[in-house]
Amino acid sequence: MDTSYMNSRITDKKKVHIFIVGTGAIGSYYGGRLAQAGCEVATLCRSDYEEVKQRGITIQSVKGDFHFYPAEVVQRVEDYTQKPDYIIIATKALPEITLASLIQKIVYRHTSIVFLQNGINIEEEIATHYPKNEIISGLAYICVTKIKHGVIEHQAKDRLVLGKYPEGCSSKAEQLKQFFIAAGIECKNDTTILAARWHKLVWNVPFNALSVAAGQLTTAEIMQNNEIKNLAIKIMQEIVLLAARAGYPMAENIISDYIDFTKDMPPYKTSMLVDYEHHKQMEVEAILGNALHIARQKKLDIPYTETLYILLSSLNQKLVS
Amino acid sequence: MDTSYMNSRITDKKKVHIFIVGTGAIGSYYGGRLAQAGCEVATLCRSDYEEVKQRGITIQSVKGDFHFYPAEVVQRVEDYTQKPDYIIIATKALPEITLASLIQKIVYRHTSIVFLQNGINIEEEIATHYPKNEIISGLAYICVTKIKHGVIEHQAKDRLVLGKYPEGCSSKAEQLKQFFIAAGIECKNDTTILAARWHKLVWNVPFNALSVAAGQLTTAEIMQNNEIKNLAIKIMQEIVLLAARAGYPMAENIISDYIDFTKDMPPYKTSMLVDYEHHKQMEVEAILGNALHIARQKKLDIPYTETLYILLSSLNQKLVS
């Protein structure tokens, strides 16, 4: 890929306006990369508005540190001055966040709404609310953490998979991919992005859930304990079975591949564990709850996943109370 | 029951020597009651030896406070000067405690070994090691907590069920029952004590396990959350099924009875939760592990129980490390 060509092509064109909802680790990192690629990137900030407005966002990256000063930093969506080509949803996927009404004032006919979130069935609310807008669903394979307001640490990887929701090709998804590639990110388009979401879920359910419920374990600690590792495998089997019932059959070796992949990882704290340790709400509904609801609809028993869902929901409630 | 008659009858007889292993809440409470009934009760103490040796044990009981000064307080079994009629095992049922060798020097032909512990299959090691000695298995239905060295708080109930292990009648079990009754305790003999153990296990597995794994909940909090309550019911169904396979079929209404019983309880912290909050080893093997091992032998899937067993084992390991 000749990225210099890409860069020149992009800067020749009319500025592309991107609005990022959520300046956590994911939103800040990929927003910063899109700014590097020449896009005009604005951010919606809540708790860290003052810091980001004054000093922007510092990204301490394994690929080299960089600074991201957003084109606009707003505390309320209605203060944004542009008509965005893309709105990128990079908040945590929590049920209490009602995205559709949040972004209402800046969704135009040409606006594509992009998800960079974990879980399954996270797009439905927006897709139902904005049936004429293109939805792009994205998965980030990255180790990145917000250290404090305005400071992000990027530890490893940053691969992205994007795709038109619910499936198919789109020139806007293709354009967005090219921006990411221009910024040095390995990004590909997937015409069956929901299958990719289920694929990622097979890893996310067991490792996120067990990392918290088994007593705050890293992925390496999960792999070192045979009983817990075998429980992770049983949970993966349940999700693979459920995915097949939901229309997303997986290759036979997905589970052994994920086991090998996890063995090769450095000791890693899952996003759910990081949230739990910081007394923040975990993405229990997006990652486990939506899967369990589908299983219940289809009358498929997934008792290992179900148990962990109930325990983690209770832990989430305890975090609130 | 004319207890004054009992008291006079007992004091007329030759002193009965009882040696209590473990001066936690259970051992201290029932040891104190046996002393009240006129038995000569000695105790094996570890961490609280100095306090108990000097001042005995204070029992703050809902039935009236009382003081228990053991006939002998020893730090090592071999320092005990009598040949006990009963050795009462009242330690927590933890796999790392090897009881058979611990009591070796004081087990005589006439000595009955009594268990006042939770769980199932806790008697096997002793029964195998001392095949000629009578084993009495006991279940305590009591809310009692050790507050600090030498001080026990008895909050509610103190009912006991005793029975010859593995089944049948025994004059020694009958005699022991009479001592407890003389001390005002509701005590009965059960000729099928292992069935009673399985019966109690149906409650102990879900409520102990969930009280810890769902985020340190009282029984009342478990009952208030429908998802968790339903999970408790599913776990009870697994244990009832397993018990039937193991030869201990239960009455059909056991689960609804336990639900009603738990609804009527004041908010209660299970023993596992109390241990967990004090960073002490929980009785995971005795209460869940032994059941799971039987299920695996019988190739019966009990996934809800299995998941909780694995999580709690991991939490136990974390407590040690």
Side-chain angles (χ1 to χ4, degrees), chain A residues 299-311:
Chain A
K299 303 206 185 303
L300 178 70
D301 276 340
I302 51 170
Y304 298 104
T305 304
E306 184 185 8
T307 306
L308 282 158
Y309 167 74
I310 293 168
L311 298 178

PDB file of all heavy atoms in Angstrom, chain A residues 299-311:
ATOM      1  N   LYS A 299     -34.488 -20.732  22.694  1.00  0.00           N
ATOM      2  CA  LYS A 299     -34.611 -21.846  23.637  1.00  0.00           C
ATOM      3  C   LYS A 299     -33.371 -22.745  23.635  1.00  0.00           C
ATOM      4  O   LYS A 299     -33.453 -23.971  23.665  1.00  0.00           O
ATOM      5  CB  LYS A 299     -35.875 -22.665  23.367  1.00  0.00           C
ATOM      6  CG  LYS A 299     -37.150 -21.814  23.416  1.00  0.00           C
ATOM      7  CD  LYS A 299     -38.363 -22.615  23.773  1.00  0.00           C
ATOM      8  CE  LYS A 299     -39.639 -21.771  23.693  1.00  0.00           C
ATOM      9  NZ  LYS A 299     -39.612 -20.565  24.555  1.00  0.00           N
ATOM     10  N   LEU A 300     -32.239 -22.095  23.582  1.00  0.00           N
ATOM     11  CA  LEU A 300     -30.965 -22.812  23.655  1.00  0.00           C
ATOM     12  C   LEU A 300     -30.368 -22.573  25.042  1.00  0.00           C
ATOM     13  O   LEU A 300     -30.207 -21.424  25.461  1.00  0.00           O
ATOM     14  CB  LEU A 300     -30.002 -22.281  22.574  1.00  0.00           C
ATOM     15  CG  LEU A 300     -28.610 -22.892  22.561  1.00  0.00           C
ATOM     16  CD1 LEU A 300     -28.665 -24.349  22.090  1.00  0.00           C
ATOM     17  CD2 LEU A 300     -27.672 -22.087  21.643  1.00  0.00           C
ATOM     18  N   ASP A 301     -30.047 -23.639  25.752  1.00  0.00           N
ATOM     19  CA  ASP A 301     -29.442 -23.496  27.078  1.00  0.00           C
ATOM     20  C   ASP A 301     -27.954 -23.182  26.945  1.00  0.00           C
ATOM     21  O   ASP A 301     -27.217 -23.930  26.297  1.00  0.00           O
ATOM     22  CB  ASP A 301     -29.590 -24.797  27.882  1.00  0.00           C
ATOM     23  CG  ASP A 301     -30.952 -24.872  28.569  1.00  0.00           C
ATOM     24  OD1 ASP A 301     -31.583 -23.812  28.738  1.00  0.00           O
ATOM     25  OD2 ASP A 301     -31.370 -25.990  28.922  1.00  0.00           O
ATOM     26  N   ILE A 302     -27.530 -22.087  27.553  1.00  0.00           N
ATOM     27  CA  ILE A 302     -26.091 -21.803  27.632  1.00  0.00           C
ATOM     28  C   ILE A 302     -25.775 -21.495  29.104  1.00  0.00           C
ATOM     29  O   ILE A 302     -25.512 -20.359  29.483  1.00  0.00           O
ATOM     30  CB  ILE A 302     -25.662 -20.660  26.674  1.00  0.00           C
ATOM     31  CG1 ILE A 302     -26.539 -19.402  26.840  1.00  0.00           C
ATOM     32  CG2 ILE A 302     -25.729 -21.104  25.230  1.00  0.00           C
ATOM     33  CD1 ILE A 302     -25.973 -18.191  26.078  1.00  0.00           C
ATOM     34  N   PRO A 303     -25.785 -22.557  29.934  1.00  0.00           N
ATOM     35  CA  PRO A 303     -25.742 -22.358  31.394  1.00  0.00           C
ATOM     36  C   PRO A 303     -24.451 -21.716  31.897  1.00  0.00           C
ATOM     37  O   PRO A 303     -24.494 -20.966  32.873  1.00  0.00           O
ATOM     38  CB  PRO A 303     -25.907 -23.775  31.949  1.00  0.00           C
ATOM     39  CG  PRO A 303     -25.553 -24.697  30.831  1.00  0.00           C
ATOM     40  CD  PRO A 303     -25.948 -23.991  29.577  1.00  0.00           C
ATOM     41  N   TYR A 304     -23.320 -22.015  31.265  1.00  0.00           N
ATOM     42  CA  TYR A 304     -22.067 -21.421  31.748  1.00  0.00           C
ATOM     43  C   TYR A 304     -22.097 -19.909  31.523  1.00  0.00           C
ATOM     44  O   TYR A 304     -21.788 -19.119  32.416  1.00  0.00           O
ATOM     45  CB  TYR A 304     -20.864 -22.058  31.043  1.00  0.00           C
ATOM     46  CG  TYR A 304     -20.738 -23.540  31.310  1.00  0.00           C
ATOM     47  CD1 TYR A 304     -21.103 -24.490  30.362  1.00  0.00           C
ATOM     48  CD2 TYR A 304     -20.279 -24.002  32.538  1.00  0.00           C
ATOM     49  CE1 TYR A 304     -21.003 -25.853  30.612  1.00  0.00           C
ATOM     50  CE2 TYR A 304     -20.183 -25.361  32.809  1.00  0.00           C
ATOM     51  CZ  TYR A 304     -20.543 -26.280  31.835  1.00  0.00           C
ATOM     52  OH  TYR A 304     -20.455 -27.621  32.098  1.00  0.00           O
ATOM     53  N   THR A 305     -22.494 -19.515  30.317  1.00  0.00           N
ATOM     54  CA  THR A 305     -22.600 -18.090  30.001  1.00  0.00           C
ATOM     55  C   THR A 305     -23.668 -17.430  30.873  1.00  0.00           C
ATOM     56  O   THR A 305     -23.475 -16.320  31.384  1.00  0.00           O
ATOM     57  CB  THR A 305     -22.967 -17.920  28.513  1.00  0.00           C
ATOM     58  OG1 THR A 305     -21.989 -18.604  27.720  1.00  0.00           O
ATOM     59  CG2 THR A 305     -23.012 -16.455  28.115  1.00  0.00           C
ATOM     60  N   GLU A 306     -24.777 -18.139  31.049  1.00  0.00           N
ATOM     61  CA  GLU A 306     -25.891 -17.592  31.838  1.00  0.00           C
ATOM     62  C   GLU A 306     -25.452 -17.309  33.277  1.00  0.00           C
ATOM     63  O   GLU A 306     -25.760 -16.240  33.835  1.00  0.00           O
ATOM     64  CB  GLU A 306     -27.053 -18.594  31.824  1.00  0.00           C
ATOM     65  CG  GLU A 306     -28.294 -18.088  32.542  1.00  0.00           C
ATOM     66  CD  GLU A 306     -29.378 -19.168  32.620  1.00  0.00           C
ATOM     67  OE1 GLU A 306     -29.115 -20.335  32.260  1.00  0.00           O
ATOM     68  OE2 GLU A 306     -30.490 -18.827  33.060  1.00  0.00           O
ATOM     69  N   THR A 307     -24.747 -18.256  33.873  1.00  0.00           N
ATOM     70  CA  THR A 307     -24.285 -18.065  35.255  1.00  0.00           C
ATOM     71  C   THR A 307     -23.413 -16.820  35.350  1.00  0.00           C
ATOM     72  O   THR A 307     -23.600 -15.974  36.232  1.00  0.00           O
ATOM     73  CB  THR A 307     -23.484 -19.295  35.728  1.00  0.00           C
ATOM     74  OG1 THR A 307     -24.278 -20.460  35.545  1.00  0.00           O
ATOM     75  CG2 THR A 307     -23.099 -19.162  37.198  1.00  0.00           C
ATOM     76  N   LEU A 308     -22.467 -16.701  34.419  1.00  0.00           N
ATOM     77  CA  LEU A 308     -21.565 -15.556  34.483  1.00  0.00           C
ATOM     78  C   LEU A 308     -22.305 -14.250  34.222  1.00  0.00           C
ATOM     79  O   LEU A 308     -22.011 -13.224  34.843  1.00  0.00           O
ATOM     80  CB  LEU A 308     -20.401 -15.760  33.506  1.00  0.00           C
ATOM     81  CG  LEU A 308     -19.382 -16.734  34.110  1.00  0.00           C
ATOM     82  CD1 LEU A 308     -18.531 -17.387  33.050  1.00  0.00           C
ATOM     83  CD2 LEU A 308     -18.508 -16.024  35.141  1.00  0.00           C
ATOM     84  N   TYR A 309     -23.273 -14.286  33.326  1.00  0.00           N
ATOM     85  CA  TYR A 309     -24.073 -13.081  33.084  1.00  0.00           C
ATOM     86  C   TYR A 309     -24.761 -12.609  34.363  1.00  0.00           C
ATOM     87  O   TYR A 309     -24.731 -11.423  34.704  1.00  0.00           O
ATOM     88  CB  TYR A 309     -25.113 -13.339  31.987  1.00  0.00           C
ATOM     89  CG  TYR A 309     -26.151 -12.253  31.915  1.00  0.00           C
ATOM     90  CD1 TYR A 309     -25.843 -11.005  31.376  1.00  0.00           C
ATOM     91  CD2 TYR A 309     -27.434 -12.446  32.423  1.00  0.00           C
ATOM     92  CE1 TYR A 309     -26.772  -9.989  31.333  1.00  0.00           C
ATOM     93  CE2 TYR A 309     -28.378 -11.437  32.387  1.00  0.00           C
ATOM     94  CZ  TYR A 309     -28.047 -10.202  31.841  1.00  0.00           C
ATOM     95  OH  TYR A 309     -28.964  -9.190  31.814  1.00  0.00           O
ATOM     96  N   ILE A 310     -25.356 -13.551  35.069  1.00  0.00           N
ATOM     97  CA  ILE A 310     -26.103 -13.186  36.288  1.00  0.00           C
ATOM     98  C   ILE A 310     -25.147 -12.664  37.367  1.00  0.00           C
ATOM     99  O   ILE A 310     -25.421 -11.655  38.028  1.00  0.00           O
ATOM    100  CB  ILE A 310     -26.930 -14.389  36.781  1.00  0.00           C
ATOM    101  CG1 ILE A 310     -28.034 -14.703  35.754  1.00  0.00           C
ATOM    102  CG2 ILE A 310     -27.534 -14.114  38.161  1.00  0.00           C
ATOM    103  CD1 ILE A 310     -28.737 -16.033  35.976  1.00  0.00           C
ATOM    104  N   LEU A 311     -24.009 -13.309  37.518  1.00  0.00           N
ATOM    105  CA  LEU A 311     -23.037 -12.856  38.523  1.00  0.00           C
ATOM    106  C   LEU A 311     -22.504 -11.466  38.178  1.00  0.00           C
ATOM    107  O   LEU A 311     -22.412 -10.587  39.039  1.00  0.00           O
ATOM    108  CB  LEU A 311     -21.875 -13.847  38.630  1.00  0.00           C
ATOM    109  CG  LEU A 311     -22.236 -15.273  39.084  1.00  0.00           C
ATOM    110  CD1 LEU A 311     -20.995 -16.154  39.102  1.00  0.00           C
ATOM    111  CD2 LEU A 311     -22.893 -15.269  40.463  1.00  0.00           C
TER     112      LEU A 311
END
